[in-house]
Amino acid sequence: MLENRIDDVPLRFSTLLAGTIVGVYLLVIAGATAAITDAAAACSTWPTCRLPTAGSPDLVIAWGHRLLAAIVGLAVLVTAAVGMARVADRRVRAALAFAVVLFAVQVGLGAVVTVSGAAGIAPTVHLGVAMALFTTLILALAWTLETEYGDPTEEPNTGVTTPAEPVEPAADGEQPPTRRDRGPAGEVLATLRAYIRLTKPRLMWLLCLVASAGMALATTGGRTLTVETILATLSGGVLAIGASGTFNHVLERDVDKRMQRTSDRPVVTDRIPIRNAVAFGFLLSALSLAIFATINLLAAALGLSAILFYSVVYTLLLKPNTVQNTVIGGFAGALPALIGWVAVTGTFGVPGLALAGIVFLWTPAHFYNLALAYQDDYARGGFPMMPVVRGETVTRKHILLYLGATLLAASGLATLANLGVLYGATVATVGAIFLWAVLVLHRERTTAAAFRAFHASNAFLGALLVAVVIDAMAV
C-alpha cells in the first residue's frame, strides 16, 4: 500500500464533502420512509407551518424534516464554495455546481409537494432529485479522492496474470500432527473440522440473514410465515452454501496451492481426498434440494441455481477470466434473498428483487476491500482481481461508487416495502460508518484500513438485514 502524502487542506475538504453526503442521504432515506413522508404532510404550508405541540408528533417530524433540509442545504452551499476555491479538478467543480442547481430544484419541488398535499407525481420526482443530488456528490467525492490520494504512476495491467509456483510445504519440524500423534479421537475431530471447513461456515450467517430478510419482507403483504418454512429455508440454505463451498475447494485446489491463505485447505493438503470431497458436495446438494422442494419447486430451482452459479459459473468461468468477476459474482450472494421471498410467496416479487439488488451492489463494495488486502496472494494465484489488474486507485474508487449505489438501493427498498423509521435510521447510521471507513481507506491506503472497511461492510449489511426483519415483522 502507498503511504499517505496529503496535506491537511484536502483532508478537511473530503471530510466536509463526506459529511454533506451523509446529510443528503438522511434527506433521501427520510423521503423514502413512509412514516416520515406521511408525517411531513401534516404541515401543509411553506416554508413554515404552525408550531408543534405535545399532541402533534407529526408536526414535530415535519419541522424536523424542514430544519434538516435547511441545514443540509447550507452544507451543500458551503461545500460547493469551499470546493470551488480549493479544488482544481474540473469534474469535481462541475459536480459541485450541478449539486447546487439540484438542491435549488429540490427546494422548489418540496414547496410544490407541501402545498399540493403530496398529490400526483411530485413526491416521486422530489425523491428522484434527492437521489440525483446524492449521486452527484458521491461522484464529486470519488473524483476528489482519486485526485488527492490516487497513485499517478499506476498503469492498468490488461494482460493475464502469471501464476506463481505452489507454496512450499512447512519444514519437517513444522508439520501438522500425524494420525499417530493425535490418536483415534483426535483424528476424528481433525477430520470433522476439515469437512466443516469445506463448507465455508463463515459465509453462512450473513447469507442466512439475507434469506431471513427475504422471508420477513414477504410477510408485509399479510402473508403468514410459519416456523416450518423458516427452518426449511435456513437449513436448505446452509446445506446449499456448504455444497457450493465444497465444490469451490475441489475446483480451485491447484490454484489454492499457490496462495498463502489457502495453501492449507483440506483438499490441498490431502486431509480430505478429492473423491470424498466431491461425494460430500453432492450429498449436501441433494439434501439441500430435497429440503427446498418441501417448500416449493421454485425455491428448489433457485437453490440449484445458487449452487451451480457459485460452483461453476463463478469458480470456473468468472473468477479466473475477468476483472468483473466480483461484480457478476454478486448474483450468487443475492439469490438467498429471492429464495427467502419465494419460500413464503411461491413467486417473485418486487421487494424481494430489490433486496437481492442491494446485496448484488453491496458485494463489490464489500469484497474489493478483501481483494486489496490479499492482492499479492490473488496475483500469485493468477486471479484477475480488480486491484491486481486495474490497480489500487481504481479499486478504492469503485468501492466508494458501489457503496453509493448500495445506499440508493437501500432507500429504494424503504419505498417499495413501506419500511419505517427503524430501517431508515439504521441504514443511515451504518451507511455513514461504512462511508467513513472507505474515506479512511483512501487516506491511509494500508492493509489494516482495507480490513476495517471490509468489517464495516459486513456490519452495514448485517445491520440493514436485521432492521428489515424487525421493521417488517415487529414494528
Side-chain angles (χ1 to χ4, degrees), residues 73-427:
L74 180 61
V76 170
L77 294 175
V78 170
T79 302
V82 173
M84 291 296 182
R86 294 182 177 177
V87 179
D89 190 292
R90 292 182 178 179
R91 299 171 302 174
V92 177
R93 295 167 66 89
L96 293 174
F98 188 52
V100 172
V101 173
L102 284 175
F103 195 82
V105 173
Q106 180 75 347
V107 171
L109 286 171
V112 172
V113 170
T114 299
V115 174
S116 65
I121 65 169
T124 302
V125 177
H126 186 52
L127 178 60
V129 173
M131 290 181 169
L133 174 60
F134 175 80
T135 302
T136 301
L137 293 177
I138 283 286
L139 288 172
L141 181 59
W143 290 327
T144 298
L145 296 174
E146 180 184 36
T147 301
E148 301 298 341
Y149 302 106
D151 182 5
T153 65
E154 275 189 336
E155 294 182 0
N157 176 18
T158 56
V160 178
T161 54
T162 303
E165 294 297 321
V167 174
E168 291 294 327
D172 292 341
E174 300 174 354
Q175 291 287 351
T178 62
R179 289 184 171 85
R180 183 177 302 174
D181 297 328
R182 291 195 182 98
E187 183 60 27
V188 171
L189 288 176
T191 301
L192 178 61
R193 283 195 296 266
Y195 274 102
I196 292 174
R197 188 177 179 189
L198 284 180
T199 65
K200 298 192 174 183
R202 292 182 179 181
L203 299 178
M204 290 179 180
W205 74 272
L206 194 57
L207 292 175
C208 285
L209 197 50
V210 172
S212 299
M215 288 187 283
L217 279 178
T219 65
T220 56
R223 303 177 185 88
T224 302
L225 178 60
T226 64
V227 174
E228 291 79 7
T229 299
I230 296 173
L231 293 177
T233 302
L234 295 182
S235 58
V238 165
L239 292 168
I241 296 165
S244 301
T246 299
F247 290 134
N248 176 266
H249 274 246
V250 172
L251 296 172
E252 288 189 345
R253 63 188 183 277
D254 292 332
V255 176
D256 285 342
K257 294 177 182 178
R258 301 194 291 264
M259 299 174 63
Q260 292 284 351
R261 73 186 187 95
T262 59
S263 60
D264 64 341
R265 284 181 170 177
V267 176
V268 175
T269 60
D270 293 327
R271 156 57 56 187
I272 297 179
I274 296 174
R275 64 179 181 277
N276 291 8
V278 172
F280 183 59
F282 277 114
L283 174 62
L284 294 178
S285 299
L287 291 174
S288 172
L289 297 181
I291 292 175
F292 278 141
T294 65
I295 305 172
N296 58 61
L297 292 180
L298 184 53
L302 289 173
L304 178 60
S305 299
I307 295 171
L308 291 176
F309 187 88
Y310 186 81
S311 304
V312 179
V313 177
Y314 175 72
T315 300
L316 292 181
L317 301 179
L318 297 175
K319 191 174 179 180
N321 294 308
T322 173
V323 72
Q324 297 299 327
N325 47 24
T326 300
V327 176
I328 305 172
F331 182 69
L335 278 172
L338 299 180
I339 292 173
W341 176 275
V342 164
V344 178
T345 66
T347 186
F348 294 110
V350 174
L353 291 169
L355 179 62
I358 291 173
V359 179
F360 179 83
L361 293 170
W362 166 86
T363 301
H366 163 74
F367 188 79
Y368 282 161
N369 295 291
L370 200 63
L372 282 170
Y374 290 119
Q375 61 178 299
D376 293 337
D377 223 10
Y378 282 120
R380 277 193 293 269
F383 290 121
M385 296 300 180
M386 179 67 74
V388 176
V389 176
R390 301 284 174 82
E392 295 181 15
T393 299
V394 172
T395 303
R396 289 192 298 268
K397 181 172 73 172
H398 281 217
I399 291 171
L400 176 59
L401 294 177
Y402 275 106
L403 169 56
T406 302
L407 289 171
L408 286 178
S411 65
L413 178 63
T415 298
L416 293 171
N418 199 29
L419 297 174
V421 176
L422 173 66
Y423 172 81
T426 300
V427 172

Side-chain angles (χ1 to χ4, degrees), residues 45-70:
T45 58
W46 192 89
T48 62
C49 62
R50 66 185 187 277
L51 293 176
T53 63
S56 57
D58 285 352
L59 281 177
V60 174
I61 295 175
W63 270 98
H65 181 75
R66 293 195 187 184
L67 288 174
L68 175 63

Side-chain angles (χ1 to χ4, degrees), residues 447-462:
T447 299
F451 275 120
R452 286 197 297 271
F454 174 78
H455 293 310
S457 69
N458 272 331
F460 168 81
L461 186 62

